[in-house]
Amino acid sequence: STLLQVEGLSKRYRRGNQEVAALDGVSLSIAPGETLALVGPSGSGKSTVARILLRLVEPDAGRISFNGEALLGLRGAALRAIRANLQMVFQDPMAAFNPRATVAGLIDDPLRIHGIVGRAERPRAIATLLERVGLATELAGRRVHEISGGQRQRVAIARALATRPALIVLDEAVSALDVLVRADILSLLAELQRDEGVAYLFISHDLGAVRAIAHRIAIMDGGRIVEQGEAATVIAAP
Ligand code: ADP
Ligand code: ADP
């Protein structure tokens, strides 16, 4: 079965009086519980795919089916319902989050916005999510700027998991972390996938990370997918 089906996605950006073809006919699919890695050089269009999935950018052409629903064109409540099921983790949570926000507040946001649990149960739900991502519940009251980069990325993962999504888009989510922290976060992601059956679109230029986590790999270049297949065949072991 298919969780995400992307067909013929094209996107041009206008810059002054120039046009940049960011995507030129991108098609890919992800099965439930699977990790597809999207790799390729800087500027090849990876983030544009992510931004279109998150409905932050509208494509010029193409179709996206998520959980059997047409994603493009959804508005309002229907879009919010899908958002709960399709979450995102960015490279730099410091840039994405208000640095004054507390750890608990950040995890509370999706619980509140999507009405996942009632107000009285939220502190317990927050504590459970912190444990789930390997963070001490004592961190709940800390502010984003007071914790480490690895801890921030765990908070970002907890926040993404709060709505029990079927798919998490990870855009260079481990790329800024030092090598040991990166290994920890990669094993956390694998463990969460085993336990909760979440699928990942894992966008990365880091082949080591990709080799560790991907089931299938799609290689992008110049806005196109130039190769796609099982991880073991797309990147041979060193
Ligand atoms: P990647 O994530 O692989 O680095 P991007 O999707 O960010 O690639 O970019 C693909 C192409 O689109 C690049 O040529 C980039 O310069 C261009 N681009 C991305 N965002 C914009 C934008 N907002 N305005 C103009 N051009 C953009
Ligand atoms: P805000 O200022 O936006 O209300 P807070 O961080 O004060 O954000 O609290 C947001 C939510 O997190 C509230 O539901 C609160 O019950 C919960 N919360 C705050 N601190 C803790 C904590 N130490 N442990 C568990 N839950 C907490």
Side-chain angles (χ1 to χ4, degrees), residues 102-106 108-109 112 119 122-124 126-127 137 140-141:
T102 63
V103 167
L106 284 172
D108 191 54
D109 288 338
R112 189 185 66 248
R119 188 177 184 65
R122 291 215 298 264
R124 179 185 290 277
I126 292 167
T137 51

Side-chain angles (χ1 to χ4, degrees), residues 13-185:
Y13 289 110
R14 196 183 297 280
R15 213 162 18 196
N17 44 17
Q18 280 192 327
E19 280 214 342
V20 181
L23 297 182
D24 180 16
V26 166
S27 300
L28 54 84
S29 69
I30 303 182
E34 176 184 58
T35 298
L36 175 71
L38 196 55
V39 306
S42 175
S44 59
K46 306 182 299 295
S47 289
T48 300
V49 172
R51 288 198 289 264
I52 290 171
L53 287 175
L54 276 281
R55 295 291 312 278
L56 303 171
V57 161
E58 292 297 311
D60 300 323
R63 279 198 309 263
I64 301 174
S65 147
F66 178 68
N67 243 348
E69 260 191 285
L71 187 68
L72 300 172
L74 284 183
R75 303 264 178 280
L79 183 57
R80 273 196 300 282
I82 289 251
R83 280 255 164 79
N85 213 5
L86 200 174
Q87 290 281 7
M88 176 96 184
V89 174
F90 294 95
Q91 173 168 7
D92 180 7
M94 254 324 238
F97 299 157
N98 172 2
R100 305 275 310 153
T102 63
V103 167
L106 284 172
I107 299 173
D108 191 54
D109 288 338
L111 295 173
R112 189 185 66 248
I113 292 165
H114 294 284
I116 303 297
V117 291
R119 188 177 184 65
E121 285 87 54
R122 291 215 298 264
R124 179 185 290 277
I126 292 167
T128 303
L129 281 160
L130 286 173
E131 283 166 22
R132 200 71 205 76
V133 299
L135 289 174
T137 51
E138 292 73 45
L139 284 184
R142 296 276 195 87
R143 296 186 189 282
V144 170
H145 68 86
E146 297 171 330
I147 60 177
S148 72
Q151 288 172 331
R152 278 198 285 274
Q153 213 49 303
R154 287 176 192 267
V155 172
I157 293 167
R159 183 175 152 105
L161 279 179
T163 57
R164 302 187 166 277
L167 177 66
I168 301 180
V169 177
L170 299 133
D171 191 356
E172 301 286 1
V174 300
S175 305
L177 302 172
D178 78 53
V179 72
L180 294 178
V181 177
R182 183 183 330 165
D184 284 346
I185 298 287

